[in-house]
């Protein structure tokens, strides 16, 4: 379907940690903005990168956007993407009193004709020959990290379904913004496979204490950073101690 004249379109990519992919997204955004029928073109990242999907949506809702088309930049397509996006936006929407736009999602993969044109264009484009050399280069050295804290964000199946990708992106954006690597004891972070208490998803664990946090959302990440990472004190009402008994998600304190 051709875009309607008043359409606002958001290009959604997974993540951009450095400046070049950020610039590339801006280039794609400009190309899209110049297309007929596009009123406004934006981009955002579902994981790490700025603006995050949450920030972009916040801006659109504040601006009174009434209809939004999300164009996922995910190749190959991820079968769970639509379910993930629906759950995540439903969660954000349920905590936001403002009127939200109608949100549509463009197909994850273009049809055969469009993808053929895309591939033809890529193959016909300027190519860069890789400079492969057989000369031995000196091995690169590495600094052993001095940071004492580690934040593990579980990316196991149940945590992923519960929104771990957004939690990871929010934490990494805040880690960058607040310079957490070099603040206080220094903090690094990593994605992990299942951390154990899947029914408390999404789960985050903070070392060296090994504190488990369950049902983590963006507000919980902010509190964990302020209280635990920077303040040194585990956030008790979000934490789950190993009691030897089954535990269930508690309702967050307000
Ligand atoms: S999948 Fe996250 S704790 Fe099991």
């Amino acid at each position: 379907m051709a875009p309607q004249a008043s359409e606002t379109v958001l290009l959604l990519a997974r993540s951009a940690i450095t400046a070049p992919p950020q610039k590339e997204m801006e280039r794609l955004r400009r190309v899209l903005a110049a297309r007929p029928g596009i009123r406004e073109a934006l981009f955002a990242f579902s994981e790490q990168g700025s603006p995050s999907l949450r920030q972009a949506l916040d801006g659109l809702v504040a601006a009174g956007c009434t209809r939004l088309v999300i164009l996922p930049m995910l190749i190959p397509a991820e079968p769970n993407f639509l379910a993930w996006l629906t759950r995540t936006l439903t969660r954000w929407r349920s905590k936001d009193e403002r009127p939200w736009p109608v949100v549509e999602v463009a197909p994850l993969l273009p049809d055969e004709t469009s993808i053929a044109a895309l591939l033809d264009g890529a193959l016909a484009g300027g190519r860069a020959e890789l400079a492969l050399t057989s000369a031995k280069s000196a091995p690169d050295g590495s600094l052993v990290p001095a940071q004492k804290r580690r934040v593990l964000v579980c990316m196991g199946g149940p945590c992923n379904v519960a929104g771990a990708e957004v939690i990871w992106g929010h934490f990494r954006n805040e880690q960058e913004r607040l310079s957490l690597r070099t603040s206080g004891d220094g903090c690094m972070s990593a994605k992990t496979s299942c951390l154990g208490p899947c029914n408390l998803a999404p789960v985050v664990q903070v070392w060296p204490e090994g504190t488990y946090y369950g049902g983590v959302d963006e507000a919980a990440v902010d509190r964990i950073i302020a209280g635990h990472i920077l303040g040194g004190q585990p956030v008790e009402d979000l934490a789950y101690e190993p009691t030897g008994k089954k535990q269930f998600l508690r309702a967050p304190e307000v």
Side-chain angles (χ1 to χ4, degrees), residues 154 156 158-159 194-198 203:
C154 181
C159 284
C194 179
L195 286 168
C198 307
V203 173

Side-chain angles (χ1 to χ4, degrees), residues 145-162:
Q147 286 88 351
K148 295 211 167 63
R149 289 203 176 278
R150 292 286 183 282
V151 173
L152 305 182
V153 178
C154 181
M155 288 287 158
C159 284
N160 233 312
V161 167

